Amino acid sequence: VMIHLSNGNVCPGKGSKTEAIHTFAGEVAVYLDYRFLVVNEGYTLELWEGSVPPTAEQGGIWGYDLNNEQRWAVVCHTSIGDVPGKASATEAWYAEGESEVGTDDFSFIVVVPSSDVYKENGANYTGQ
């Protein structure tokens, strides 16, 4: 989800039908003003395995946190499985219970044309 923060910024987080969770400075905060990421027909969400954050042209999804720092939507690969989170260029954070946990094992989420669109247009998407 993309959460509308109290300072007017929008930042990636984790959401359910009733609330969204944003981790910041080691704490977990609950927000009620958020939107689910939805992609148009012909597009899909995929994981970006690159070591640098994806640009807008590459389908990157990002916002800004309470300190006005850029944060990307990511999937954190943890010992309890893959969970949604947010990341800087080199580190990601996710909520575990009431705490914020940092990790360097994560993948950026990107929006890319589906394979059907690429077949129609004759393009080759490599993910990089």
Side-chain angles (χ1 to χ4, degrees):
V1 299
M2 295 301 281
I3 301 170
H4 296 262
L5 302 175
S6 56
N7 67 350
N9 287 341
V10 178
C11 193
K14 174 182 174 181
S16 70
K17 290 181 181 179
T18 57
E19 64 187 21
I21 296 171
H22 174 66
T23 61
F24 185 74
E27 309 254 335
V28 175
V30 174
Y31 286 82
L32 302 177
D33 189 7
Y34 62 97
R35 305 293 181 271
F36 284 93
L37 293 170
V38 178
V39 295
N40 292 330
E41 185 176 343
Y43 290 84
T44 186
L45 294 174
E46 293 185 4
L47 298 182
W48 173 273
E49 301 297 338
S51 59
V52 249
T55 65
E57 293 79 17
Q58 295 164 324
I61 303 168
W62 68 82
Y64 294 88
D65 68 12
L66 291 169
N67 282 341
N68 296 313
E69 293 182 35
Q70 192 170 21
R71 298 292 182 239
W72 283 265
V74 298
V75 171
C76 299
H77 310 296
T78 75
S79 60
I80 59 171
D82 290 345
V83 296
K86 65 175 183 186
S88 68
T90 58
E91 183 179 14
W93 302 271
Y94 63 96
E96 188 175 285
E98 298 295 316
S99 300
E100 176 183 57
V101 179
T103 182
D104 61 359
D105 189 8
F106 64 94
S107 300
F108 296 98
I109 299 171
V110 293
V111 178
V112 297
S114 68
S115 59
D116 291 340
V117 171
Y118 270 107
K119 287 177 188 170
E120 290 174 16
N121 296 329
N124 294 316
Y125 175 72
T126 63
Q128 297 291 332

